[in-house]
Amino acid sequence: MGTLLQDLRYGLRTLWRSPGFTLVAVTVLALGISVNSAIFSVVNGVLLKPLNAHNPERLVFVFENRTQVKDSTSTAAPVNFVAWRERSKSFEAMAAYGGQNLNLTGSGFPEQLSGAVVSANLFSLLPIKPALGRDFLPSEDQPESERVIILGHGLWQRRFNSDPRVIDQKITLNENAYKIIGVMPPGFDFPTNAEFWTPLVISDGAVGGMGGRILSVIARLKPGVTVEQAEAEMNSIAESLAAENPEFNAGWGVTIVQIHALVVRSVRWPLLVLWGVVCLVLLIACANVANLLLTRASHRRREIAIRVAVGASRRRIVRQLLTESVLLALIGGALGLLLAVWGVDALIALGPNSLPRIDEIKIDRWVLGYTLAISLLTGVLFGLVPALQISKPNLNELLKEGIRSSPSSFGRDPVRSLLVVAEVAISLVLLICAGLMIRSFTHLQGVNPGFDPRHVVTMQVNLPETKYGEDRQVVDFYRQAFARIRTVPGVAHVGATHSLPWSGNSSMRYFYAEGQPLPETGREDSYNTNYRVITPDYFDAMGIPVLKGRDFTEGDTLQSPAVVIVNEMLAARLWPNEDALGKRIRQYRPGQEQAWFSVVGVVGNVRHYWLGDVSQPEIYIPYTQVPLLSSTTIERHRRFMQIAIRTKGDPLAVVGDVRREVAGVDPELPLYNVRTMEERLGVSLMAPRFNTLLMGIFAAVALILAVVGLYGVMSYAVVQRTHEIGIRMALGASRADVLRFILRQGMALVLAGVAVGLVAASLLTRALSTLLYEVSPTDPTTFIGISLILIVVAFFACYIPARRATRVEPLVALRHE
């Protein structure tokens, strides 16, 4: 212990006596360690940290899946959920939930709230208890039960002033009275930003009038039961359900996924790639500091030789030198941790809103431990080779007085040469990765979404079924409201749909064309088609071109012929090489006779989910003819519409007037989720923009470190070879000869690094394939262009020291020791 303290004191004195070296080395290390700690804090908070729940590894999601479609998952049918809960033996408990949006009226201004309808046992399954009041009772999920509600903590604070007396009070939601029975603790908003929870009422396979596969199911495995065992049991139950009800369940199985794996699935690979990138940046920093230590070692050879001569063992010398390098790394780690605190805040601010568990990203004890570990590892990594090299000096030469420093060339110093090659190679890999991401993002930004997002503002409306239960009431509201909105100055077009582009909503049904065979039971997916319920003028409001035929009009009613509009892709799929106008199509529902709809128009393809997706076959249905489809789910879409308004100027400038006009039709209807389409576009690009930005920043840091390292090594080589340069010039070498001589040796290392980097990049960039859009991971343009840029930059890093070498005076150089 005393020896260690002695080494620490000596190491600190040594570093203190070389402030320039210490400052540069600490800064380089702090930069590499800070980006590592910042990214690790994200990886830890999102991927590694267990969910804040009791035994989170036993919490799973249970999905239905189409057995004929690989990796398909679907929410569950209520009737199947009831059967699963009754028959399964693998779970301690199983619960279901679904989203719901209700209008709060009767006290203050009307407001639309986003919440969830949940099984009575959901909170005990998680488990979580209300901060005020009580949980749901098992009897409260029955149809005849009194309507009750549990408030989110934020809603309780915002609308009820944190009043504890709200328990047992009643509020009005969608024209119905609900009794408040509890308030959840702060931070709890499961499933996603929920502001309230009401009991899930299942009756005859329907949920609040909604059928279909619309429930998310969560369960807790019994101790000792694996996901694979539970999935096998659930698929056995699914086979039984298919035999009992083949029309509804044939071809459907079950998939079980751990909740943590599902939550982070979309961000796992991008985060791991970024983590790998910052580890490469740290390697470059280590190579830089190792080169600095090698440079410094040449000035300490006499010191080490004297210590060896008086009896110090090589092991003792290595330990002392490693102590100094670890001290450097720990100081750099401490500074890097301070920078990481700022970096984490920047990452959270720049990160996409869709990043899960963002509130759990912070500098905690795991990040502190990681920073300490990589600091120690870094200290050993960059300090070991210089320590081993300097700890075995040639005593006979170094102890001679007046001996000139031996010429140092790259060829005679393979360690230094390998470090330069490694820096250049790693930098090239990162620069190529950044170049690929930038090209991909540029391609993505240039994609035509199929509509014009400029000058369009969107908002949502939710018509309560208690007030708008009849077809006439729904149609009258939209006709009156849109007529009034069109009178607002600056409004050019107004339309609505139940699912705007980039809204995250997906609605699909099986449709087939007249003359086609009916789909086989269990194989209907080839007929699966996206559908959109829309109002007249929606295409003009969104800027979607009508290529053939006509748009919907107010004359398309329940009394007129049933009509639809299809997109180009669906027309080509159903009627290849034929004109789709006049053709007929209808929904496939086993055991139910559906109405035929005639195609009256063909519109352009729209990328509804994100710009990188291919367009999907789509059918547009007039909102006035939805009752012909005999579907409670589609009927519900008409009461939950997203309005699109195209304006002649600033789209947000009309929002206030639009609210007043809608209030003139129904003063208790709030308009909510007001956003421009350009804002929606920005949100859809947030994740690829974030990934591209970080990759570009890390690549730029890597380039700077590599160039600085190359410049430093070349400068040192010139100083060490001053005597040799003087001899060459005294023997007749011109300044141009000296310039070429120095450049040749430096650029040889650069070109070797580029060659190694190209090989490494061709292998490593394949990891980016899922993050790229219309760019190959081995895109030759990017590889060649980035390589040339790096060579040019490296050339100037070599040229400046080489130019300095040409200014050496031969007589001065010959006297150089």
Side-chain angles (χ1 to χ4, degrees):
M1 188 66 180
T3 306
L4 176 61
L5 291 175
Q6 182 182 356
D7 287 345
L8 288 173
R9 286 195 298 269
Y10 184 79
L12 287 172
R13 287 198 304 270
T14 302
L15 296 178
W16 182 258
R17 288 197 299 267
S18 306
F21 162 80
T22 303
L23 179 62
V24 172
V26 166
T27 302
V28 170
L29 289 172
L31 194 59
I33 291 173
S34 65
V35 294
N36 262 271
S37 297
I39 291 296
F40 178 77
S41 68
V42 179
V43 172
N44 179 57
V46 176
L47 300 183
L48 304 181
K49 188 182 295 183
L51 293 174
N52 186 21
H54 176 65
N55 293 327
E57 71 281 355
R58 287 163 48 200
L59 283 176
V60 295
F61 278 115
V62 186
F63 295 101
E64 295 199 59
N65 66 55
R66 297 296 289 173
T67 55
Q68 301 295 325
V69 181
K70 184 180 179 181
D71 298 328
S72 69
T73 55
S74 168
T75 45
V79 64
N80 289 343
F81 163 68
V82 172
W84 292 349
R85 189 165 56 177
E86 292 173 350
R87 304 183 192 184
S88 63
K89 306 298 182 185
S90 299
F91 306 103
E92 285 184 350
M94 181 181 290
Y97 62 89
Q100 66 172 340
N101 293 274
L102 301 177
N103 296 332
L104 174 63
T105 57
S107 59
F109 59 90
E111 182 180 0
Q112 202 277 340
L113 303 178
S114 176
V117 51
V118 303
S119 299
N121 66 330
L122 176 68
F123 299 135
S124 61
L125 181 151
L126 290 175
I128 186 77
K129 292 183 179 180
L132 286 178
R134 63 172 175 84
D135 197 350
F136 295 124
L137 301 175
S139 60
E140 288 174 334
D141 61 5
Q142 301 303 311
E144 65 278 4
S145 299
E146 179 185 18
R147 286 188 171 92
V148 294
I149 187 171
I150 295 177
L151 304 179
H153 195 269
L155 176 62
W156 174 60
Q157 287 182 315
R158 177 166 48 83
R159 286 300 296 250
F160 301 95
N161 298 316
S162 302
D163 186 356
R165 295 172 297 177
V166 298
I167 304 300
D168 293 332
Q169 290 185 15
K170 290 193 174 182
I171 59 175
T172 302
L173 296 169
N174 276 26
E175 308 294 319
N176 293 312
Y178 287 78
K179 184 172 77 172
I180 300 173
I181 62 168
V183 177
M184 297 306 290
F188 182 80
D189 60 357
F190 184 87
T192 304
N193 300 323
E195 298 178 285
F196 68 86
W197 297 265
T198 61
L200 171 66
V201 177
I202 299 179
S203 176
D204 298 325
V207 182
M210 295 180 289
R213 289 178 162 84
I214 43 82
L215 289 180
S216 297
V217 177
I218 187 173
R220 182 178 290 277
L221 294 168
K222 288 181 177 178
V225 176
T226 66
V227 170
E228 291 75 19
Q229 291 170 335
E231 191 169 272
E233 182 202 29
M234 292 299 293
N235 275 297
S236 177
I237 295 172
E239 290 177 4
S240 300
L241 295 176
E244 296 166 13
N245 186 0
E247 290 186 349
F248 186 71
N249 285 320
W252 287 90
V254 175
T255 298
I256 297 178
V257 183
Q258 284 186 312
I259 185 170
H260 180 266
L262 184 69
V263 168
V264 304
R265 180 171 58 184
S266 63
V267 298
R268 177 184 296 276
W269 188 241
L271 285 181
L272 291 178
V273 168
L274 289 174
W275 193 12
V277 165
V278 295
C279 288
L280 293 179
V281 172
L282 183 59
L283 283 178
I284 296 177
C286 289
N288 254 334
V289 178
N291 256 324
L292 287 172
L293 285 175
L294 286 171
T295 301
R296 187 165 175 262
S298 65
H299 299 291
R300 299 183 64 184
R301 289 181 183 276
R302 185 179 298 277
E303 170 200 340
I304 300 300
I306 293 173
R307 295 185 65 182
V308 171
V310 297
S313 66
R314 187 183 188 194
R315 180 179 178 181
R316 183 72 177 81
I317 297 296
V318 169
R319 189 175 69 183
Q320 173 62 53
L321 295 174
L322 281 180
T323 300
E324 294 177 19
S325 64
V326 169
L327 275 173
L328 269 179
L330 290 176
I331 297 171
L335 179 58
L337 190 61
L338 293 176
L339 295 175
V341 173
W342 172 82
V344 169
D345 292 338
L347 287 174
I348 293 174
L350 294 172
N353 296 332
S354 58
L355 187 66
R357 308 181 69 189
I358 194 169
D359 56 323
E360 298 185 48
I361 299 173
K362 57 186 176 183
I363 303 292
D364 58 11
R365 59 190 179 91
W366 294 104
V367 178
L368 293 175
Y370 174 80
T371 304
L372 177 61
I374 62 171
S375 297
L376 292 173
L377 178 62
T378 297
V380 174
L381 187 65
F382 69 72
L384 186 59
V385 172
L388 291 174
Q389 190 179 64
I390 195 177
S391 63
K392 194 175 182 182
N394 187 329
L395 296 181
N396 290 329
E397 290 200 7
L398 289 175
L399 293 178
K400 292 178 183 178
E401 290 294 335
I403 191 75
R404 291 187 177 91
S405 299
S406 57
S408 174
S409 71
F410 292 118
R412 298 174 213 159
D413 196 347
V415 175
R416 196 185 302 275
S417 300
L418 286 175
L419 289 174
V420 172
V421 170
E423 285 188 70
V424 173
I426 296 173
S427 298
L428 181 63
V429 171
L430 296 185
L431 286 168
I432 287 176
C433 288
L436 291 172
M437 295 286 286
I438 291 170
R439 288 204 69 193
S440 172
F441 187 66
T442 302
H443 283 311
L444 196 60
Q445 285 185 304
V447 170
N448 177 12
F451 62 91
D452 184 1
R454 296 170 299 176
H455 303 295
V456 177
V457 63
T458 66
M459 55 198 72
Q460 291 181 250
V461 64
N462 183 6
L463 306 183
E465 187 176 3
T466 52
K467 192 173 183 180
Y468 294 92
E470 298 180 10
D471 171 71
R472 174 185 54 80
Q473 294 171 316
V474 174
V475 173
D476 285 349
F477 168 79
Y478 286 116
R479 284 181 175 172
Q480 292 179 48
F482 288 1
R484 296 177 68 117
I485 291 173
R486 290 188 183 99
T487 66
V488 172
V491 170
H493 299 280
V494 56
T497 178
H498 83 278
S499 181
L500 280 170
W502 308 327
S503 64
N505 298 331
S506 175
S507 301
M508 306 188 81
R509 281 289 187 274
Y510 305 132
F511 288 91
Y512 69 100
E514 188 174 23
Q516 290 184 345
L518 293 177
E520 299 177 23
T521 300
R523 296 180 177 273
E524 301 96 339
D525 287 287
S526 59
Y527 294 80
N528 221 2
T529 305
N530 291 274
Y531 69 88
R532 315 276 164 184
V533 175
I534 69 170
T535 67
D537 209 26
Y538 170 73
F539 296 127
D540 285 334
M542 289 296 297
I544 300 173
V546 178
L547 305 177
K548 292 182 181 179
R550 66 173 177 87
D551 193 355
F552 297 133
T553 69
E554 297 294 346
D556 296 314
T557 66
L558 284 176
Q559 290 70 42
S560 63
V563 295
V564 292
I565 294 173
V566 299
N567 72 346
E568 283 185 288
M569 184 168 287
L570 182 60
R573 187 181 78 174
L574 295 180
W575 305 284
N577 303 318
E578 295 183 51
D579 188 354
L581 296 181
K583 297 294 193 298
R584 297 206 303 172
I585 189 173
R586 72 175 174 184
Q587 184 185 185
Y588 171 69
R589 300 193 75 182
Q592 296 184 25
E593 190 71 18
Q594 296 291 306
W596 286 104
F597 288 77
S598 297
V599 176
V600 296
V602 177
V603 297
N605 298 325
V606 174
R607 296 174 187 254
H608 268 100
Y609 302 107
W610 80 290
L611 287 176
D613 277 340
V614 296
S615 299
Q616 302 292 326
E618 290 182 330
I619 182 172
Y620 296 89
I621 303 165
Y623 83 110
T624 50
Q625 296 183 343
V626 161
L628 298 175
L629 292 168
S630 305
S631 169
T632 54
T633 301
I634 302 178
E635 173 63 35
R636 178 176 176 269
H637 291 329
R638 295 197 304 170
R639 295 193 299 273
F640 186 76
M641 296 281 268
Q642 297 172 303
I643 301 171
I645 301 172
R646 178 167 294 279
T647 64
K648 300 172 184 176
D650 180 8
L652 293 176
V654 305
V655 172
D657 291 334
V658 168
R659 289 187 189 275
R660 281 191 292 272
E661 294 301 333
V662 172
V665 180
D666 188 338
E668 294 187 333
L669 273 185
L671 294 178
Y672 61 98
N673 197 15
V674 178
R675 303 165 76 182
T676 66
M677 283 306 300
E678 288 183 309
E679 182 183 353
R680 290 181 182 272
L681 173 61
V683 170
S684 72
L685 290 174
M686 190 173 288
R689 180 185 289 112
F690 177 69
N691 295 335
T692 303
L693 176 63
L694 288 188
M695 187 71 77
I697 291 173
F698 297 149
V701 171
L703 177 62
I704 292 171
L705 289 177
V707 169
V708 169
L710 178 61
Y711 174 82
V713 169
M714 292 297 299
S715 296
Y716 174 73
V718 168
V719 171
Q720 290 295 96
R721 305 185 69 170
T722 300
H723 185 76
E724 176 188 347
I725 292 170
I727 293 175
R728 288 177 178 272
M729 297 181 73
L731 294 176
S734 67
R735 296 184 186 275
D737 293 331
V738 172
L739 183 66
R740 284 193 296 270
F741 172 68
I742 300 296
L743 280 176
R744 184 168 59 250
Q745 295 203 13
M747 291 306 295
L749 296 179
V750 172
L751 294 176
V754 168
V756 174
L758 286 173
V759 174
S762 65
L763 299 174
L764 296 178
T765 53
R766 299 178 194 278
L768 298 177
S769 57
T770 58
L771 306 179
L772 301 178
Y773 176 73
E774 290 190 351
V775 176
S776 167
T778 56
D779 176 54
T781 302
T782 303
F783 273 59
I784 295 171
I786 294 297
S787 299
L788 291 176
I789 291 173
L790 179 58
I791 290 171
V792 170
V793 174
F795 173 82
F796 284 104
C798 295
Y799 177 80
I800 296 174
R803 182 60 181 261
R804 189 181 305 124
T806 65
R807 297 173 182 170
V808 172
E809 293 295 333
L811 293 178
V812 175
L814 290 174
R815 292 196 298 268
H816 180 76
E817 295 295 332

